[in-house]
Amino acid sequence: MDCPDGYVCIYPEINFGGQPWVRRAVDGGVKDLPSSIRDRGSSIRNNSGRTARVYEKRNYSGRWACVTRSGGSIHDLRGYNLNDQTRSLKINRNGCG
């Protein structure tokens, strides 16, 4: 499944493999991801007009990686030491940084 426009998708495998967990960006962040993707995310795609940060711990804490808006992606979260360590997702109106 490709990530639809307006959504942020977290995939359980690197290079966007497996069935993604999909979140509509306008619905905002998630302090504790559902068990289907919690501690399982390996790649992320952002097809929304907002930036998205994935965090290693719940409540938007710990290490994080930011995905730019409008088609930004990270194909392998190992480079951020976050592979299989996704715990929360924050949707932002500001840029990465």
Side-chain angles (χ1 to χ4, degrees):
M1 173 186 159
D2 199 25
C3 190
D5 286 342
Y7 288 77
V8 175
C9 301
I10 302 174
Y11 296 81
E13 299 173 20
I14 61 170
N15 294 319
F16 317 109
Q19 182 66 36
W21 177 79
V22 179
R23 178 73 174 184
R24 198 168 63 155
V26 295
D27 291 338
V30 180
K31 290 182 179 185
D32 197 15
L33 290 170
S35 60
S36 62
I37 200 66
R38 184 182 313 134
D39 297 327
R40 293 187 60 224
S42 295
S43 54
I44 184 169
R45 180 169 282 147
N46 183 3
N47 284 337
S48 77
R50 300 177 182 191
T51 59
R53 282 188 186 184
V54 64
Y55 291 83
E56 76 169 321
K57 297 181 180 176
R58 58 189 311 264
N59 294 320
Y60 319 121
S61 63
R63 287 189 313 267
W64 55 269
C66 188
V67 184
T68 57
R69 59 189 76 166
S70 303
S73 63
I74 298 173
H75 75 278
D76 187 348
L77 285 169
R78 290 181 293 192
Y80 297 86
N81 292 321
L82 289 170
N83 186 54
D84 293 335
Q85 295 184 47
T86 52
R87 195 61 191 235
S88 55
L89 172 72
K90 190 164 192 179
I91 309 294
N92 301 298
R93 293 184 185 272
N94 56 347
C96 287

